[in-house]
Amino acid sequence: MSKATRVLVTGAGGFIGHHLVKALVQEGYWVRGVDIKEPDFEPSLAQEFELLDLRRWESCQRAAKGMDEVYNLAANMGGIGFISANKAEIMHDNVLINTHMLEAAHQTDVSRYLYTSSACIYPMYRQTDPDCAGLKEEEAYPADAEDGYGWEKLFSERQCKHYWEEYGLETRTVRFHNIFGPLGTFEGGREKSPAAICRKLALAQPGDEIEIWGDGKQTRSYCYIDDCVEGIMRLMRSEHREPINLGQDRMISIDELVSIVADIADKEIKRRYNLNKPQGVRGRNSDNSRLREVLAWVPQVSLERGLERTYSWINDQIVHRD
Ligand code: NAD
């Protein structure tokens, strides 16, 4: 495997970016991390870490300068509550970030550029049943993406495709399906369902009632962070230029997710379903056929194992803080 010596990770102060920096450094890459904030829970291992606002063209030029490869993970994002309520801001920020980052990578002769898309690009009409089939990459069209965040991701996917076709920039596009794990946001409004449920269980006393968004029957699949990082690095090294799913293909309901975390926490709790909260599509799962074919690999860490580690980390954060 040929290793690029200098790699830029944007969003290196965020959840996936921070884990990716660690893995790249361990693999022997020289890493520049860029974000508008430092990592929340531990210092970055990047050889160089710069605070830059990547909505600005000059920041992207500076970030890309001298880099061989770019992993673009910077984005204004959060769980379903956040993305449902902040569509204008999300579209504005994220289109600017990818537009400027991609052009800066092109102008500075970066050889490979990985873009982090999302399962939110898939059409709403394929996700109306909790028992739906796994989403295949080619089913993204005819498009009917999640309003706001999903459309922005789909637009940016196409930008990457055209930079390859017209400028020869080797772009890779990954569609994440609910990545979770330690060192991720677990409170404040941007957290996603696994982290929110772990926090609620960590704070609950046995017998307490916890709030669940929606009726608990909506389904998703969840992928542990170590698998996500390994998948991204494998994809960057592959020759696959079309978008590809990266997630687990085990679909479970939110109620089942709560039960698994309650078992790990060893707490019996009651559930209150709040139908006024956003719950997203009714069902969503990853079809991993292309992932298996292209990378000869699929995520390995079981949901239970990943949730044990995540719950334990979130519980520690809460206990030590209090
Ligand atoms: P995150 O919010 O933890 O990380 C994103 C980082 O981008 C943050 O640290 C944030 O400060 C930074 N950022 C935002 N605006 C910026 C700006 N103007 N300039 C510089 N940095 C800026 O999110 P994450 O979960 O690590 O997600 C990483 C990428 O993966 C994002 O593109 C996200 O849309 C995508 N994604 C994540 C998931 C998931 O389940 N976590 C699912 C689908 C897609």
Side-chain angles (χ1 to χ4, degrees):
M1 187 175 78
S2 73
K3 280 188 185 170
T5 46
R6 295 169 76 84
V7 175
L8 169 66
V9 176
T10 76
F15 167 50
I16 302 173
H18 178 68
H19 282 277
L20 176 63
V21 167
K22 275 206 242 185
L24 287 167
V25 169
Q26 272 161 18
E27 285 283 308
Y29 291 90
W30 185 95
V31 181
R32 174 184 295 158
V34 168
D35 203 296
I36 39 170
K37 66 168 180 70
E38 304 271 351
D40 290 329
F41 304 105
E42 59 182 29
S44 179
L45 287 187
Q47 280 83 353
E48 196 175 287
F49 190 95
E50 281 210 67
L51 291 174
L52 294 172
D53 183 347
L54 295 173
R55 288 170 298 188
R56 300 169 66 96
W57 166 240
E58 306 75 37
S59 302
C60 292
Q61 275 181 310
R62 181 176 169 143
K65 197 169 176 201
M67 294 295 110
D68 299 312
E69 296 185 350
V70 174
Y71 291 83
N72 185 25
L73 281 82
N76 186 351
M77 63 91 67
I80 187 69
F82 182 81
I83 65 169
S84 308
N86 297 283
K87 297 183 187 122
E89 182 185 303
I90 284 172
M91 294 191 89
H92 171 269
D93 289 2
N94 296 349
V95 165
L96 283 179
I97 292 171
N98 194 55
T99 299
H100 290 327
M101 230 21 268
L102 200 50
E103 178 62 18
H106 163 53
Q107 288 192 12
T108 52
D109 290 330
V110 159
S111 61
R112 287 183 184 222
Y113 183 99
L114 184 137
Y115 176 66
T116 48
S117 185
S118 164
C120 289
I121 63 94
Y122 285 109
M124 307 303 277
Y125 58 79
R126 291 197 183 274
Q127 305 172 82
T128 54
D129 184 348
D131 195 21
C132 60
L135 293 157
K136 292 184 172 41
E137 287 80 356
E138 60 273 23
E139 291 173 342
Y141 299 93
D144 179 19
E146 175 91 37
D147 202 5
Y149 179 69
W151 277 104
E152 170 268 308
K153 290 286 185 196
L154 201 55
F155 168 82
S156 302
E157 283 191 1
R158 299 199 74 82
Q159 270 186 312
C160 292
K161 171 178 157 67
H162 299 312
Y163 266 68
W164 153 246
E165 289 168 347
E166 293 173 21
Y167 301 141
L169 173 57
E170 287 281 355
T171 54
R172 306 285 177 267
T173 297
V174 60
R175 293 176 181 159
F176 292 143
H177 289 248
N178 295 309
I179 312 303
F180 73 100
L183 305 175
T185 306
F186 62 91
E187 59 190 355
R190 286 182 188 253
E191 67 278 16
K192 299 185 152 204
S193 53
I197 290 166
C198 287
R199 182 197 72 234
K200 288 175 187 181
L201 260 301
L203 288 168
Q205 300 300 319
D208 277 359
E209 186 178 81
I210 68 162
E211 182 190 62
I212 295 170
W213 288 15
D215 63 2
K217 296 187 172 47
Q218 66 273 36
T219 52
R220 296 289 184 277
S221 67
Y222 298 94
C223 178
Y224 189 63
I225 183 66
D226 291 1
D227 281 330
C228 169
V229 167
E230 182 164 356
I232 302 173
M233 290 168 65
R234 283 175 181 256
L235 179 63
M236 186 63 123
R237 299 269 63 83
S238 81
E239 296 311 311
H240 189 75
R241 300 186 189 101
E242 295 299 318
I244 191 164
N245 288 331
L246 178 47
Q248 283 277 11
D249 57 4
R250 172 181 169 197
M251 189 167 68
I252 64 159
S253 69
I254 293 291
D255 260 338
E256 288 170 293
L257 184 67
V258 172
S259 299
I260 296 172
V261 179
D263 279 350
I264 292 168
D266 198 18
K267 291 180 185 172
E268 279 194 23
I269 41 96
K270 300 189 193 81
R271 304 166 192 223
R272 176 168 39 86
Y273 298 98
N274 188 341
L275 302 181
N276 296 319
K277 293 287 191 183
Q279 54 169 297
V281 293
R282 282 304 276 165
R284 175 177 289 160
N285 194 11
S286 177
D287 181 302
N288 284 348
S289 315
R290 190 178 290 179
L291 187 69
R292 197 172 282 110
E293 188 188 314
V294 170
L295 300 185
W297 171 90
V298 285
Q300 302 291 313
V301 181
S302 73
L303 181 60
E304 284 77 4
R305 186 81 192 97
L307 284 171
E308 273 167 25
R309 295 178 192 161
T310 309
Y311 177 80
S312 161
W313 179 80
I314 291 176
N315 191 46
D316 278 355
Q317 297 301 303
I318 289 170
V319 168
H320 291 127
R321 183 180 59 191
D322 292 347

